[in-house]
Amino acid sequence: MYAVPAADEGGNDADRSRPLRKLGFLTIGLFDGADPRRGHEATLEVIELGERLGFDSAWVRHRHLQYGISSPVALLAAASQRTSRIELGTAVIPLGWENPLRLAEDLATVDVLSGAGSIRG
């Protein structure tokens, strides 16, 4: 598989022959508001499947006031206990809803719990 970036940082056509080194995916965690536990469990199962399929990273996003992942930090903590190799990260966490220092501490704690330094934010 090869990466096909549109342009490099200088705006020039990028080298289209450079091999892709890592492949990740985003799961947004949409689910039924009547059964949020099942939705979170399904999201964790997707992350586990991604690791088994050989993906290098899995990313989640925050969905305040919607039927989806309400706490990406808690979900990543659970995912870190079910996976061993895949890197985990947050694609979107709106900081307007968060205390940045607390969020950094929580993500660092999940990173320690994962045992592999696999959390990206």
Side-chain angles (χ1 to χ4, degrees):
M1 192 176 291
Y2 291 89
V4 185
D8 64 16
E9 292 177 11
N12 303 315
D13 284 336
D15 178 5
R16 297 184 187 280
S17 64
R18 193 174 64 217
L20 183 65
R21 289 183 248 187
K22 291 191 174 193
L23 185 62
F25 66 93
L26 169 69
T27 179
I28 60 173
L30 291 175
F31 41 82
D32 184 355
D35 191 5
R37 184 188 185 292
R38 180 65 202 130
H40 283 89
E41 181 62 32
T43 302
L44 291 168
E45 289 169 0
V46 166
I47 294 170
E48 288 177 283
L49 177 61
E51 181 174 69
R52 285 193 309 273
L53 292 174
F55 282 89
D56 298 297
S57 61
W59 302 82
V60 297
R61 62 173 284 211
H62 212 183
R63 299 192 58 88
H64 273 306
L65 307 174
Q66 298 176 3
Y67 298 120
I69 298 167
S70 58
S71 175
V73 176
L75 186 96
L76 293 176
S80 77
Q81 300 305 298
R82 296 177 178 213
T83 60
S84 61
R85 182 198 52 78
I86 197 168
E87 293 180 343
L88 305 169
T90 58
V92 177
I93 296 181
L95 288 181
W97 294 86
E98 305 291 339
N99 175 317
L101 295 176
R102 180 59 196 221
L103 178 61
E105 181 178 44
D106 288 348
L107 287 169
T109 300
V110 174
D111 199 44
V112 168
L113 290 172
S114 75
S118 63
I119 304 299
R120 307 284 180 244

